[in-house]
Amino acid sequence: LYIEAIRFFGHRDQMVRTAIRNLTLQVYNVKDESMQRFVLKRSWRTYFVHLACHLRELWLKLDAARERCAAGGSENDRRALQEVNEQQNDLLMYISDVLSMEEVALREALAERVLQYAFFPVLLGSLGDGGAASGSLVRPAAGPRDRLSPECALFLLHETFDIFRSTPALLNPLVAALLLQRP
């Protein structure tokens, strides 16, 4: 059930996404060691990577919608901006829920994946030089298409600190990357 359900994590229907997220949270709470190993193996290899990449895509859509609105966009553009912001916020809240669970290995696996595939390359990579300096924890965004405007990156960074304020598995590496970037 878990394997089939996670295929629909990014479904266009909000009710489907909510049902999948609720189901995965229920599965993560199962206290069976063999089940936890199975879920961790499957989640770390595929699901968490897909979640991180989906988050990254939502951020890029948010930035594109923000640019359209800033350029005098239509009411449809403003609705699209609000919708994609709600989607990325819902996904951040779900990630926060998973990172708040008791299962340490699951928390660490998810934090590592979202940092590696979304936060470091796109969010922090869009600020300044993208962490290209020697010794930085941050990998630069792959290209201009993967970069956010500074306004959007700062907005999302604020959202991240607000949502994950009591989640050291994500915040500690993020803060370290911000503070250790060299000019």
Side-chain angles (χ1 to χ4, degrees):
L1 181 62
Y2 175 77
I3 299 300
E4 292 301 316
I6 60 176
R7 293 180 185 185
F8 297 99
F9 76 92
H11 196 276
R12 61 184 160 92
D13 186 338
Q14 175 63 37
M15 290 179 63
V16 173
R17 289 191 309 266
T18 300
I20 298 310
R21 291 172 186 169
N22 285 333
L23 183 134
T24 59
L25 290 172
Q26 300 259 337
V27 168
Y28 297 153
N29 274 321
V30 172
K31 301 293 185 218
D32 179 69
E33 193 173 316
S34 62
M35 172 69 112
Q36 289 175 346
R37 278 193 311 272
F38 172 81
V39 167
L40 178 61
K41 181 180 176 184
R42 294 290 182 156
S43 298
W44 182 81
R45 225 185 308 147
T46 56
Y47 180 53
F48 291 165
V49 173
H50 289 255
L51 277 180
C53 292
H54 184 63
L55 179 62
R56 182 179 64 209
E57 292 303 315
L58 287 173
W59 288 345
L60 293 168
K61 286 180 184 179
L62 179 72
D63 196 34
R66 183 205 59 81
E67 287 180 18
R68 286 191 303 277
C69 287
S74 67
E75 185 61 34
N76 285 342
D77 291 329
R78 285 186 280 287
R79 278 195 294 273
L81 176 65
Q82 183 176 357
E83 181 179 325
V84 74
N85 185 48
E86 289 171 359
Q87 286 180 25
Q88 70 85 27
N89 194 281
D90 286 346
L91 185 51
L92 288 175
M93 295 298 286
Y94 169 70
I95 291 169
S96 175
D97 288 344
V98 176
L99 292 175
S100 299
M101 301 189 87
E102 291 179 25
E103 179 57 37
V104 174
L106 192 71
R107 287 193 323 243
E108 290 175 353
L110 177 57
E112 185 263 329
R113 290 307 197 188
V114 296
L115 287 166
Q116 179 183 5
Y117 288 96
F119 285 95
F120 288 161
V122 177
L123 188 57
L124 296 188
S126 296
L127 298 172
D129 68 358
S134 171
S136 175
L137 298 172
V138 180
R139 302 260 186 269
R145 184 182 84 71
D146 295 327
R147 291 181 73 95
L148 303 170
S149 66
E151 300 86 356
C152 189
L154 289 172
F155 168 75
L156 291 169
L157 196 57
H158 176 270
E159 291 249 309
T160 298
F161 281 112
D162 187 39
I163 291 170
F164 297 99
R165 66 180 155 259
S166 61
T167 311
L170 188 81
L171 279 189
N172 289 350
L174 196 56
V175 169
L178 279 168
L179 296 177
L180 295 177
Q181 285 194 33
R182 292 170 180 71

